[in-house]
């Protein structure tokens, strides 16, 4: 009876192990790429006093799909009612958290002292944000934009002082997840600027 040569046996085992390892890597697919809004743009020079001295900004509310790290897009030219997730692209933080932090940063850059709900004191106005849309929309296979729409409600105690809806659209530089992330960051910054300007027009009564 002939036995396998030791060197041949070892080579066969190593080849099998390598094939299994490569097969396992291939079955997992590409590693996901993570995106965020990047650093905020430099604040615009203040020409007037801050709209409010102190403001509490609550974390943004929105649909459940904005409270995950999945990146979604819509093919307006094919099926506008269907929201589709990217396979290998993610937000590094859920969009509701990204948007909340960006709005707080931009309002603070506008000269307002921004507090969280846990630091709120009686009589300080509270801004509540409800997000209606935050998505990358494809008008065609090669052209997309980032759409951000939200509703801002300003309260003092249980009294609604004012409410306004803001909507901004920013064209994406590329028809992919990277372009969508950049466009949504630009649209979010534009909404934040509109929000800050709106706050400056309000005549908040003193208690």
């Amino acid at each position: 009876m002939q036995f396998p040569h030791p060197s041949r046996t070892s080579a066969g085992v190593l080849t099998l192990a390598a094939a299994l390892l490569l097969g396992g890597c291939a079955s997992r697919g590409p590693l996901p790429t993570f995106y965020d809004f990047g650093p905020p743009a430099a604040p615009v020079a203040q020409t007037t006093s801050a709209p409010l001295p102190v403001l509490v900004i609550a974390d943004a509310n929105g649909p459940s799909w904005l409270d995950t790290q999945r990146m979604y897009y819509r093919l307006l030219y094919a099926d506008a009612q269907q929201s589709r997730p990217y396979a290998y692209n993610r937000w590094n933080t859920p969009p509701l958290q990204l948007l909340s932090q960006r709005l707080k940063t931009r309002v603070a850059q506008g000269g307002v002292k921004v507090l969280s709900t846990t630091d709120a004191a009686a009589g300080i106005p509270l801004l509540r944000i409800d997000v209606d849309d935050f998505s990358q929309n494809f008008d065609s296979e090669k052209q997309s934009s980032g759409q951000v729409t939200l509703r801002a409600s300003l309260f003092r105690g249980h009294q609604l002082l004012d409410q306004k809806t803001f909507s901004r659209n920013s064209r994406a530089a590329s028809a992919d997840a990277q372009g969508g992330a950049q466009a949504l960051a630009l649209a979010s910054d534009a909404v934040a600027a509109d929000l800050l300007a709106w706050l400056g027009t309000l005549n908040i009564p003193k208690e």
Side-chain angles (χ1 to χ4, degrees):
M1 179 180 294
Q2 292 183 341
F3 292 94
H5 192 278
S7 61
R8 293 177 181 175
T9 303
S10 300
V13 171
L14 291 175
T15 301
L16 177 61
L20 291 174
L21 179 60
L22 291 174
C25 292
S27 64
R28 289 196 295 270
L31 293 176
T33 301
F34 292 89
Y35 294 95
D36 58 21
F37 285 172
V44 177
Q46 294 296 308
T47 57
T48 60
S49 60
L52 290 171
V54 184
L55 180 66
V56 175
I57 301 181
D59 290 338
N61 297 306
S64 58
W65 60 273
L66 290 179
D67 204 20
T68 73
Q69 292 177 257
R70 302 296 296 272
M71 296 184 73
Y72 288 89
Y73 63 93
R74 292 180 187 274
L75 302 179
L76 300 184
Y77 63 90
D79 185 0
Q81 280 69 47
Q82 184 177 3
S83 180
R84 309 162 190 256
Y86 278 102
Y88 301 113
N89 298 279
R90 302 284 190 275
W91 294 107
N92 65 8
T93 304
L96 287 178
Q97 295 181 32
L98 284 174
L99 189 56
S100 295
Q101 188 56 51
R102 183 52 65 96
L103 292 176
K104 292 177 182 179
T105 297
R106 299 302 281 174
V107 171
Q109 287 178 336
V112 180
K113 292 181 175 63
V114 176
L115 302 179
S116 66
T117 53
T118 56
D119 298 324
I124 297 179
L126 180 143
L127 185 67
R128 190 178 72 191
I129 302 296
D130 295 288
V131 182
D132 295 321
D133 192 13
F134 183 94
S135 57
Q136 181 182 10
N137 298 322
F138 282 82
D139 299 315
S140 67
E141 292 182 0
K142 297 182 179 180
Q143 191 173 66
S144 70
S145 60
Q147 177 70 43
V148 176
T149 303
L150 57 83
R151 186 172 60 261
S153 305
L154 187 65
F155 290 87
R156 172 171 277 162
H158 297 290
Q159 179 186 4
L160 176 64
L161 301 178
D162 204 348
Q163 183 182 87
K164 186 170 183 176
T165 296
F166 299 91
S167 185
R168 282 287 192 152
N169 183 284
S170 180
R171 185 67 61 187
S174 57
D176 53 17
Q178 181 180 3
Q182 293 171 345
L184 284 165
L186 291 173
S188 297
D189 279 344
V191 164
D194 293 342
L195 176 65
L196 191 60
W198 169 66
L199 291 173
T201 65
L202 301 180
N203 184 16
I204 308 299
K206 296 182 179 180
E207 287 194 332

